[in-house]
Amino acid sequence: MTDTMRALVSGRGPEWVLAEVPVPRPGPGEVLIRNRAAATNNADLPMLAEADPTNDGHGQEFIAGFEYAGEIAALGVDTGTWQVGDPVMGSVPHAFAEYVVADHRFVLPRPEGLEPDTACALPTGLLTEHGALTAAGFAAGQSVLITGASTSIGFIGVQLAKALGASTVIGTTRSADKRDLLTSAGVDTVIITGEHDLAEATLAATGGRGADVVLDHLAGQAFAECLPATAEDGHIVNIGRLAGPASTIDLDALSYRHLTAHGVSFGFTRDTEMAGIIAGLLPAVVPAVARGEIRPMIDRTVDVAESREAAERLRSGQAVGKVVFRLPEEA
């Protein structure tokens, strides 16, 4: 193993810079992962812009990225049952690099046959959506409404809910041309926002009852519209704020229906909680991934040296799904 590696560094300008940096070393309870592929997330570009010293950013350099997939290259002490060579995937800061260090409790096994290019785009969605369903007390046989179902994370939520036994999955999207995509992923009723009233369409799809669980990736006034679409004693979990962080809600709709609202943000979850969330994925979710029941939405896969083009694609707003960086051995 060499002492240096290639990594995409933020904090040197408006773009990621491919640089040679030291290979990290695993400490107690940590594993070193030879990263083969890394996926982009919504937070990546804002963090890049905030660090840009040429545009009043803080200028503190750091390795960008969160999601990775590869295999274990070295072990610290007290790392459980992991072995060198085990195929893995996960979500941890500084993932746009050839080597990544992670707490051994936060590493997920990568199913046999699942290539790194695909696997790296799964962990954040799996952790977030499964954690949200768990917070809502989801049980097989319940109905689930997912706003922003055609986003990368919502798309995983649809498949996850189906794999875990949801009786009905209702998904919203702004684009009518995403209907077939959502149907293929398992959405039973597609609601085109702007064309249909969310509550009316959800009630119609659930026999007038409403959805037992709502996974809201939009916030804004979409969150308020979810309240009358939720079944009595149901649960609403806000995950994302794509439509803005503020919402004016009708408290009658909340109280008279005896609803419970949750807020989650797994990028800021405490270590003790994250270990439990990871453990919760192992019995049912990872096997569903292995069976091919859950797949990510990937816009394109590029070499890590093409980071500028990848950033431009993300900034354009035209990317459908994640952009994935390959981190191959150098020639």
Side-chain angles (χ1 to χ4, degrees), residues 56-136:
D56 298 323
H58 56 68
Q60 298 176 14
E61 295 187 9
F62 60 92
I63 297 172
F66 291 95
E67 289 184 288
Y68 67 85
E71 61 275 343
I72 291 180
L75 303 167
V77 297
D78 298 326
T79 52
T81 60
W82 291 114
Q83 298 292 322
V84 171
D86 285 345
V88 295
M89 58 187 184
S91 180
V92 69
H94 319 307
F96 291 171
E98 291 177 317
Y99 288 90
V100 176
V101 164
D103 186 310
H104 79 282
R105 298 170 299 168
F106 304 162
V107 178
L108 285 167
R110 175 163 56 90
E112 183 178 357
L114 185 64
E115 293 300 318
D117 290 6
T118 300
C120 70
L122 282 168
T124 297
L126 294 177
L127 290 167
T128 302
E129 301 299 280
H130 185 260
L133 287 170
T134 300

Side-chain angles (χ1 to χ4, degrees), residues 144-189:
V144 179
L145 166 64
I146 299 177
T147 67
S150 58
T151 62
S152 296
I153 194 166
F155 188 71
I156 289 177
V158 166
Q159 298 168 85
L160 184 56
K162 273 294 187 180
L164 295 180
S167 59
T168 300
V169 175
I170 303 153
T172 77
T173 179
R174 294 181 301 175
S175 304
D177 58 4
K178 299 287 180 63
R179 185 186 300 275
D180 289 344
L181 173 70
L182 294 181
T183 300
S184 69
V187 174
D188 299 291
T189 300

Side-chain angles (χ1 to χ4, degrees), residues 1 107 110 153 192 194 231 243 246 256 266 276 295 329:
M1 185 186 303
V107 178
R110 175 163 56 90
I153 194 166
I192 311 300
Y256 292 167
F266 291 103
R295 283 290 185 268
E329 301 282 358

Side-chain angles (χ1 to χ4, degrees), residues 30 36 43 66 121 196-197 246 294:
E30 295 179 333
R36 302 296 177 181
F66 291 95
H196 306 106
D197 180 87
I294 305 173

Side-chain angles (χ1 to χ4, degrees), residues 3-314:
D3 293 327
T4 63
M5 64 178 182
R6 294 181 301 162
L8 292 179
V9 176
S10 298
R12 297 187 182 182
E15 305 293 344
W16 292 306
V17 175
L18 186 61
E20 286 285 329
V21 300
V23 173
R25 304 301 178 191
E30 295 179 333
V31 297
L32 179 69
I33 296 143
R34 175 49 172 100
N35 196 12
R36 302 296 177 181
T40 57
N41 281 277
N42 286 338
D44 292 327
L45 287 184
M47 292 176 68
L48 174 62
E50 290 166 3
D52 179 8
T54 68
N55 194 29
D56 298 323
H58 56 68
Q60 298 176 14
E61 295 187 9
F62 60 92
I63 297 172
F66 291 95
E67 289 184 288
Y68 67 85
E71 61 275 343
I72 291 180
L75 303 167
V77 297
D78 298 326
T79 52
T81 60
W82 291 114
Q83 298 292 322
V84 171
D86 285 345
V88 295
M89 58 187 184
S91 180
V92 69
H94 319 307
F96 291 171
E98 291 177 317
Y99 288 90
V100 176
V101 164
D103 186 310
H104 79 282
R105 298 170 299 168
F106 304 162
V107 178
L108 285 167
R110 175 163 56 90
E112 183 178 357
L114 185 64
E115 293 300 318
D117 290 6
T118 300
C120 70
L122 282 168
T124 297
L126 294 177
L127 290 167
T128 302
E129 301 299 280
H130 185 260
L133 287 170
T134 300
F138 170 79
Q142 291 185 317
S143 57
V144 179
L145 166 64
I146 299 177
T147 67
S150 58
T151 62
S152 296
I153 194 166
F155 188 71
I156 289 177
V158 166
Q159 298 168 85
L160 184 56
K162 273 294 187 180
L164 295 180
S167 59
T168 300
V169 175
I170 303 153
T172 77
T173 179
R174 294 181 301 175
S175 304
D177 58 4
K178 299 287 180 63
R179 185 186 300 275
D180 289 344
L181 173 70
L182 294 181
T183 300
S184 69
V187 174
D188 299 291
T189 300
V190 177
I191 299 173
I192 311 300
T193 56
E195 295 183 12
H196 306 106
D197 180 87
L198 177 62
E200 289 180 1
T202 302
L203 292 171
T206 56
R209 187 172 184 276
D212 296 304
V213 172
V214 178
L215 303 186
D216 172 38
H217 301 93
L218 302 179
Q221 283 309 108
F223 180 80
E225 293 170 10
C226 288
L227 300 182
T230 308
E232 290 186 8
D233 299 308
H235 294 255
I236 304 173
V237 187
N238 175 253
I239 298 164
R241 267 92 38 206
L242 294 175
S247 181
T248 301
I249 68 170
D250 180 350
L251 289 173
D252 284 346
L254 179 73
S255 299
Y256 292 167
R257 301 177 79 82
H258 302 279
L259 306 182
T260 302
H262 308 262
V264 298
S265 184
F266 291 103
F268 302 96
T269 298
R270 291 180 288 270
D271 286 357
T272 53
E273 295 171 339
M274 183 59 77
I277 294 167
I278 293 284
L281 292 174
L282 301 180
V285 178
V286 172
V289 172
R291 294 192 299 268
E293 296 174 13
I294 305 173
R295 283 290 185 268
M297 189 187 304
I298 296 175
D299 182 75
R300 62 190 57 194
T301 301
V302 301
D303 187 271
V304 68
E306 301 175 65
S307 63
R308 181 183 293 267
E309 292 82 355
E312 290 175 354
R313 175 67 176 172
L314 294 171

